[in-house]
Amino acid sequence: MTATSYDILVAGGTGVDTIVRVPELRIPAGDSVFVPPVRDYVGHTGNGVALGAHALGMTTKFVDFLGDDVQGQQILAAYAAAGLDFSHVVTPHGTPRGVNLVDAQGRRFSFFDGRHPADLRLPRDFYLPYLERARHVHLAITGVTKDMYADVHRLGIPSSTDLHDWDGTNPHHRAYALASDYVFLSAAAIHDRLDEVLRSILAQGRARLVVATDGAAGCHVLERGEEKPRHFPAVRPERPVVDTNGAGDAFVTAFLHALSQGGSVEECVLAGSVSGAFACGAAGTHTEFIDLPGLRAACARASAL
């Protein structure tokens, strides 16, 4: 029997998010406040990319650590129900958690517990059989994936990562930035140094392009060989924005899907923007994913505007 080949291997980045809906992102007066029901969702960055790719029809493999705890069981049940191919290594440190405050406009602030020790790594004999069958690998910056790059480069497999709100200097993020072929990050912390930071990734690393997403302002893309980033406006959401949790992961997923289909940078950005906007219309983290017919139809509508 021939082993399955994977369109994408997603490594690291699953956990459980507790979503607290608040009027605004600030601590109110007093010592307590009533809020809508607080809910737990399977989430985190690798989860969003893996489930998003699966929804778009990509043959997806997801690997990570999990704790032998209630949160780990919640994750396993969710992936079984979704039909996502997931394998894990049990860690005594437990399943990562986050607490996300979400305001009335859907903006969020996340508290991530980062419970994995700094030296925890996915075992090579665990991930290598999956990596050897992958056409692309997306590595979450959780640290457990950092040692995979030697094998990724040896095998010549294209790689991507998402640096999230990197400040442009933190060495943990920089290691991922310089080792990946496609780099995504948020522009939130580098607005005054955008060109400088994007150029440094290309100059010092191996990236073919860098994408800095910028929320409602769209995104900025710098390709190798270009002098300045190109700005792309955001698409208009087709449904009300209720929660921005997972929008960046949705952007990355659809961008990578379009890239796997030979799409141009413009086509990849459009797909990513449409997918990110779609994610903002669902409450919680990664609770609803756009499928391929939906993505194509929404891209066609956005192009016609």
Side-chain angles (χ1 to χ4, degrees):
M1 183 176 178
T2 304
T4 301
S5 294
Y6 305 112
D7 295 323
I8 186 169
L9 168 66
V10 181
T14 190
V16 170
D17 283 334
T18 298
I19 305 297
V20 184
R21 304 197 69 87
V22 295
E24 52 186 330
L25 297 180
R26 71 175 184 86
I27 302 298
D31 61 4
S32 65
V33 63
F34 285 105
V35 297
V38 175
R39 303 191 185 283
D40 290 339
Y41 298 92
V42 175
H44 298 192
T45 182
N47 171 81
V49 174
L51 283 173
H54 179 65
L56 289 173
M58 300 179 78
T59 305
T60 304
K61 181 69 182 183
F62 188 20
V63 296
D64 200 5
F65 284 103
L66 276 189
D68 184 14
D69 48 27
V70 172
Q71 290 74 32
Q73 292 303 314
Q74 180 181 356
I75 289 169
L76 292 175
Y79 293 162
L84 177 65
D85 186 353
F86 176 72
S87 298
H88 71 285
V89 177
V90 175
T91 171
H93 305 289
T95 301
R97 301 196 65 178
V99 176
N100 298 346
L101 305 184
V102 180
D103 72 8
Q105 286 73 48
R107 296 172 301 191
R108 67 92 186 261
F109 190 91
S110 180
F111 299 87
F112 177 63
D113 72 8
R115 66 180 62 214
H116 289 328
D119 60 352
L120 185 66
R121 299 289 185 269
L122 286 170
R124 186 172 188 262
D125 59 355
F126 166 71
Y127 73 71
L128 190 58
Y130 306 121
L131 183 62
E132 290 174 334
R133 286 140 56 190
R135 299 186 181 95
H136 183 98
V137 58
H138 182 81
L139 295 98
I141 60 168
T142 54
V144 303
T145 59
K146 192 175 289 186
D147 290 353
M148 292 177 62
Y149 276 110
D151 284 315
V152 171
H153 297 161
R154 176 180 61 83
L155 294 168
I157 300 170
S159 62
S160 56
T161 194
D162 186 347
L163 309 177
H164 301 282
D165 57 348
W166 185 41
D167 61 6
T169 60
N170 187 308
H172 173 85
H173 300 68
R174 180 173 291 279
Y176 282 90
L178 302 188
S180 299
D181 297 303
Y182 301 93
V183 178
F184 301 85
L185 72 157
S186 165
I190 57 167
H191 271 126
D192 58 337
R193 298 170 291 130
L194 181 70
D195 290 16
E196 171 194 343
V197 171
L198 299 194
R199 282 200 298 265
S200 73
I201 293 172
L202 294 182
Q204 299 173 33
R206 59 185 287 129
R208 305 176 193 182
L209 61 80
V210 186
V211 182
T213 56
D214 203 5
C219 70
H220 313 268
V221 180
L222 182 61
E223 294 183 78
R224 184 167 293 279
E226 294 185 345
E227 290 297 319
K228 289 186 66 63
R230 283 188 287 164
H231 174 257
F232 294 85
V235 301
R236 182 178 300 173
E238 294 186 328
R239 53 188 188 169
V241 174
V242 296
D243 195 333
T244 58
N245 281 295
D249 301 325
F251 180 101
V252 169
T253 303
F255 188 105
L256 293 177
H257 177 271
L259 186 69
S260 75
Q261 301 302 302
S264 65
V265 170
E266 293 79 6
E267 291 168 330
C268 292
V269 167
L270 177 61
S273 299
V274 164
S275 181
F278 179 87
C280 292
T285 306
H286 307 142
T287 55
E288 189 176 355
F289 297 90
I290 196 166
D291 60 16
L292 189 54
L295 178 65
R296 288 173 172 166
C299 284
R301 290 192 295 271
S303 297
L305 295 178

